mmCIF file of all heavy atoms in Angstrom:
data_model
loop_
_atom_site.group_PDB
_atom_site.id
_atom_site.type_symbol
_atom_site.label_atom_id
_atom_site.label_comp_id
_atom_site.label_asym_id
_atom_site.label_seq_id
_atom_site.Cartn_x
_atom_site.Cartn_y
_atom_site.Cartn_z
ATOM 1 N N LYS A 295 63.378 -93.188 -41.149
ATOM 2 C CA LYS A 295 64.248 -93.086 -39.979
ATOM 3 C C LYS A 295 64.697 -94.457 -39.528
ATOM 4 O O LYS A 295 65.891 -94.706 -39.232
ATOM 5 C CB LYS A 295 63.511 -92.360 -38.856
ATOM 6 C CG LYS A 295 64.336 -92.156 -37.605
ATOM 7 C CD LYS A 295 63.522 -91.416 -36.555
ATOM 8 C CE LYS A 295 64.315 -91.242 -35.273
ATOM 9 N NZ LYS A 295 63.516 -90.530 -34.233
ATOM 10 N N GLN A 296 63.721 -95.397 -39.460
ATOM 11 C CA GLN A 296 64.071 -96.753 -39.050
ATOM 12 C C GLN A 296 65.001 -97.417 -40.066
ATOM 13 O O GLN A 296 65.938 -98.140 -39.702
ATOM 14 C CB GLN A 296 62.788 -97.574 -38.870
ATOM 15 C CG GLN A 296 61.951 -97.147 -37.673
ATOM 16 C CD GLN A 296 60.672 -97.948 -37.547
ATOM 17 O OE1 GLN A 296 60.380 -98.797 -38.389
ATOM 18 N NE2 GLN A 296 59.903 -97.676 -36.493
ATOM 19 N N ALA A 297 64.700 -97.166 -41.387
ATOM 20 C CA ALA A 297 65.579 -97.731 -42.417
ATOM 21 C C ALA A 297 66.996 -97.176 -42.297
ATOM 22 O O ALA A 297 67.996 -97.912 -42.415
ATOM 23 C CB ALA A 297 65.003 -97.430 -43.811
ATOM 24 N N GLU A 298 67.066 -95.846 -42.066
ATOM 25 C CA GLU A 298 68.379 -95.213 -41.899
ATOM 26 C C GLU A 298 69.087 -95.745 -40.663
ATOM 27 O O GLU A 298 70.306 -96.014 -40.679
ATOM 28 C CB GLU A 298 68.210 -93.694 -41.790
ATOM 29 C CG GLU A 298 69.522 -92.931 -41.639
ATOM 30 C CD GLU A 298 70.404 -93.046 -42.885
ATOM 31 O OE1 GLU A 298 69.881 -93.350 -43.973
ATOM 32 O OE2 GLU A 298 71.625 -92.839 -42.765
ATOM 33 N N ALA A 299 68.291 -95.915 -39.571
ATOM 34 C CA ALA A 299 68.879 -96.450 -38.349
ATOM 35 C C ALA A 299 69.374 -97.879 -38.571
ATOM 36 O O ALA A 299 70.475 -98.268 -38.118
ATOM 37 C CB ALA A 299 67.862 -96.423 -37.217
ATOM 38 N N ALA A 300 68.537 -98.674 -39.319
ATOM 39 C CA ALA A 300 68.962 -100.050 -39.612
ATOM 40 C C ALA A 300 70.206 -100.050 -40.487
ATOM 41 O O ALA A 300 71.130 -100.874 -40.295
ATOM 42 C CB ALA A 300 67.812 -100.798 -40.308
ATOM 43 N N LYS A 301 70.226 -99.119 -41.463
ATOM 44 C CA LYS A 301 71.386 -99.013 -42.356
ATOM 45 C C LYS A 301 72.640 -98.652 -41.568
ATOM 46 O O LYS A 301 73.719 -99.248 -41.744
ATOM 47 C CB LYS A 301 71.096 -97.962 -43.418
ATOM 48 C CG LYS A 301 72.208 -97.797 -44.441
ATOM 49 C CD LYS A 301 71.815 -96.750 -45.477
ATOM 50 C CE LYS A 301 72.937 -96.535 -46.482
ATOM 51 N NZ LYS A 301 72.583 -95.489 -47.493
ATOM 52 N N GLN A 302 72.464 -97.652 -40.679
ATOM 53 C CA GLN A 302 73.602 -97.236 -39.858
ATOM 54 C C GLN A 302 74.042 -98.350 -38.908
ATOM 55 O O GLN A 302 75.260 -98.557 -38.689
ATOM 56 C CB GLN A 302 73.244 -95.973 -39.076
ATOM 57 C CG GLN A 302 73.086 -94.728 -39.947
ATOM 58 C CD GLN A 302 72.683 -93.501 -39.142
ATOM 59 O OE1 GLN A 302 72.488 -93.591 -37.924
ATOM 60 N NE2 GLN A 302 72.594 -92.369 -39.830
ATOM 61 N N ALA A 303 73.010 -99.051 -38.362
ATOM 62 C CA ALA A 303 73.354 -100.153 -37.463
ATOM 63 C C ALA A 303 74.113 -101.243 -38.219
ATOM 64 O O ALA A 303 75.093 -101.814 -37.710
ATOM 65 C CB ALA A 303 72.084 -100.720 -36.836
ATOM 66 N N GLU A 304 73.601 -101.523 -39.468
ATOM 67 C CA GLU A 304 74.276 -102.541 -40.270
ATOM 68 C C GLU A 304 75.705 -102.081 -40.621
ATOM 69 O O GLU A 304 76.668 -102.882 -40.565
ATOM 70 C CB GLU A 304 73.484 -102.800 -41.546
ATOM 71 C CG GLU A 304 74.059 -103.849 -42.459
ATOM 72 C CD GLU A 304 74.064 -105.225 -41.835
ATOM 73 O OE1 GLU A 304 73.283 -105.453 -40.861
ATOM 74 O OE2 GLU A 304 74.836 -106.087 -42.271
ATOM 75 N N ALA A 305 75.820 -100.764 -40.994
ATOM 76 C CA ALA A 305 77.140 -100.235 -41.314
ATOM 77 C C ALA A 305 78.073 -100.311 -40.097
ATOM 78 O O ALA A 305 79.256 -100.672 -40.206
ATOM 79 C CB ALA A 305 77.022 -98.791 -41.809
ATOM 80 N N ALA A 306 77.496 -99.940 -38.914
ATOM 81 C CA ALA A 306 78.294 -100.008 -37.692
ATOM 82 C C ALA A 306 78.691 -101.441 -37.382
ATOM 83 O O ALA A 306 79.826 -101.725 -36.950
ATOM 84 C CB ALA A 306 77.496 -99.406 -36.533
ATOM 85 N N LYS A 307 77.716 -102.361 -37.642
ATOM 86 C CA LYS A 307 78.000 -103.781 -37.393
ATOM 87 C C LYS A 307 79.108 -104.269 -38.314
ATOM 88 O O LYS A 307 80.038 -104.964 -37.883
ATOM 89 C CB LYS A 307 76.705 -104.564 -37.605
ATOM 90 C CG LYS A 307 76.864 -106.047 -37.332
ATOM 91 C CD LYS A 307 75.516 -106.747 -37.527
ATOM 92 C CE LYS A 307 75.662 -108.255 -37.279
ATOM 93 N NZ LYS A 307 74.369 -108.961 -37.520
ATOM 94 N N GLN A 308 78.965 -103.894 -39.610
ATOM 95 C CA GLN A 308 79.995 -104.297 -40.563
ATOM 96 C C GLN A 308 81.341 -103.654 -40.219
ATOM 97 O O GLN A 308 82.404 -104.293 -40.320
ATOM 98 C CB GLN A 308 79.563 -103.912 -41.977
ATOM 99 C CG GLN A 308 78.384 -104.725 -42.493
ATOM 100 C CD GLN A 308 77.946 -104.297 -43.882
ATOM 101 O OE1 GLN A 308 78.526 -103.352 -44.451
ATOM 102 N NE2 GLN A 308 76.961 -105.007 -44.435
ATOM 103 N N ALA A 309 81.290 -102.344 -39.825
ATOM 104 C CA ALA A 309 82.533 -101.658 -39.454
ATOM 105 C C ALA A 309 83.165 -102.309 -38.240
ATOM 106 O O ALA A 309 84.406 -102.497 -38.170
ATOM 107 C CB ALA A 309 82.242 -100.184 -39.181
ATOM 108 N N GLU A 310 82.283 -102.691 -37.265
ATOM 109 C CA GLU A 310 82.786 -103.352 -36.067
ATOM 110 C C GLU A 310 83.378 -104.712 -36.407
ATOM 111 O O GLU A 310 84.448 -105.106 -35.890
ATOM 112 C CB GLU A 310 81.661 -103.509 -35.055
ATOM 113 C CG GLU A 310 82.074 -104.190 -33.751
ATOM 114 C CD GLU A 310 83.096 -103.397 -32.962
ATOM 115 O OE1 GLU A 310 83.228 -102.163 -33.189
ATOM 116 O OE2 GLU A 310 83.776 -103.970 -32.102
ATOM 117 N N ALA A 311 82.662 -105.410 -37.349
ATOM 118 C CA ALA A 311 83.177 -106.726 -37.758
ATOM 119 C C ALA A 311 84.513 -106.563 -38.480
ATOM 120 O O ALA A 311 85.469 -107.342 -38.249
ATOM 121 C CB ALA A 311 82.153 -107.425 -38.662
ATOM 122 N N ALA A 312 84.564 -105.500 -39.376
ATOM 123 C CA ALA A 312 85.826 -105.251 -40.083
ATOM 124 C C ALA A 312 86.918 -104.863 -39.116
ATOM 125 O O ALA A 312 88.092 -105.296 -39.246
ATOM 126 C CB ALA A 312 85.620 -104.140 -41.130
ATOM 127 N N ARG A 313 86.547 -104.027 -38.116
ATOM 128 C CA ARG A 313 87.541 -103.612 -37.115
ATOM 129 C C ARG A 313 88.054 -104.808 -36.319
ATOM 130 O O ARG A 313 89.258 -104.962 -36.085
ATOM 131 C CB ARG A 313 86.945 -102.573 -36.182
ATOM 132 C CG ARG A 313 87.968 -101.961 -35.211
ATOM 133 C CD ARG A 313 87.264 -101.052 -34.230
ATOM 134 N NE ARG A 313 86.362 -101.808 -33.368
ATOM 135 C CZ ARG A 313 86.792 -102.525 -32.320
ATOM 136 N NH1 ARG A 313 88.085 -102.603 -32.017
ATOM 137 N NH2 ARG A 313 85.918 -103.164 -31.575
ATOM 138 N N GLN A 314 87.067 -105.645 -35.924
ATOM 139 C CA GLN A 314 87.465 -106.826 -35.160
ATOM 140 C C GLN A 314 88.321 -107.769 -36.014
ATOM 141 O O GLN A 314 89.305 -108.355 -35.536
ATOM 142 C CB GLN A 314 86.213 -107.548 -34.647
ATOM 143 C CG GLN A 314 85.479 -106.772 -33.560
ATOM 144 C CD GLN A 314 84.221 -107.492 -33.090
ATOM 145 O OE1 GLN A 314 83.892 -108.566 -33.613
ATOM 146 N NE2 GLN A 314 83.559 -106.906 -32.085
ATOM 147 N N ALA A 315 87.907 -107.885 -37.325
ATOM 148 C CA ALA A 315 88.697 -108.758 -38.222
ATOM 149 C C ALA A 315 90.105 -108.185 -38.399
ATOM 150 O O ALA A 315 91.118 -108.934 -38.385
ATOM 151 C CB ALA A 315 87.990 -108.878 -39.580
ATOM 152 N N GLU A 316 90.170 -106.841 -38.580
ATOM 153 C CA GLU A 316 91.484 -106.198 -38.732
ATOM 154 C C GLU A 316 92.296 -106.332 -37.461
ATOM 155 O O GLU A 316 93.521 -106.605 -37.516
ATOM 156 C CB GLU A 316 91.291 -104.715 -39.065
ATOM 157 C CG GLU A 316 92.577 -103.933 -39.248
ATOM 158 C CD GLU A 316 93.385 -104.412 -40.455
ATOM 159 O OE1 GLU A 316 92.798 -105.065 -41.356
ATOM 160 O OE2 GLU A 316 94.595 -104.153 -40.521
ATOM 161 N N ALA A 317 91.608 -106.168 -36.312
ATOM 162 C CA ALA A 317 92.324 -106.319 -35.044
ATOM 163 C C ALA A 317 92.839 -107.753 -34.881
ATOM 164 O O ALA A 317 93.995 -107.992 -34.440
ATOM 165 C CB ALA A 317 91.410 -105.947 -33.881
ATOM 166 N N ALA A 318 91.990 -108.723 -35.291
ATOM 167 C CA ALA A 318 92.417 -110.126 -35.189
ATOM 168 C C ALA A 318 93.585 -110.393 -36.133
ATOM 169 O O ALA A 318 94.545 -111.118 -35.796
ATOM 170 C CB ALA A 318 91.236 -111.044 -35.523
ATOM 171 N N ARG A 319 93.484 -109.809 -37.397
ATOM 172 C CA ARG A 319 94.577 -110.005 -38.350
ATOM 173 C C ARG A 319 95.880 -109.408 -37.826
ATOM 174 O O ARG A 319 96.950 -110.021 -37.906
ATOM 175 C CB ARG A 319 94.200 -109.375 -39.697
ATOM 176 C CG ARG A 319 95.192 -109.673 -40.810
ATOM 177 C CD ARG A 319 94.789 -108.928 -42.063
ATOM 178 N NE ARG A 319 94.884 -107.484 -41.854
ATOM 179 C CZ ARG A 319 96.029 -106.807 -41.886
ATOM 180 N NH1 ARG A 319 97.185 -107.432 -42.078
ATOM 181 N NH2 ARG A 319 96.035 -105.504 -41.697
ATOM 182 N N GLN A 320 95.748 -108.142 -37.303
ATOM 183 C CA GLN A 320 96.942 -107.504 -36.770
ATOM 184 C C GLN A 320 97.497 -108.270 -35.552
ATOM 185 O O GLN A 320 98.724 -108.405 -35.383
ATOM 186 C CB GLN A 320 96.624 -106.060 -36.383
ATOM 187 C CG GLN A 320 96.385 -105.148 -37.577
ATOM 188 C CD GLN A 320 96.091 -103.719 -37.158
ATOM 189 O OE1 GLN A 320 96.048 -103.422 -35.955
ATOM 190 N NE2 GLN A 320 95.951 -102.843 -38.163
#
Side-chain angles (χ1 to χ4, degrees):
K295 182 179 178 181
Q296 291 178 357
E298 181 66 21
K301 182 179 178 181
Q302 291 178 358
E304 181 65 20
K307 182 178 179 182
Q308 291 178 358
E310 180 64 20
R313 187 186 65 78
Q314 290 179 358
E316 180 65 20
R319 187 184 65 79
Q320 289 181 359

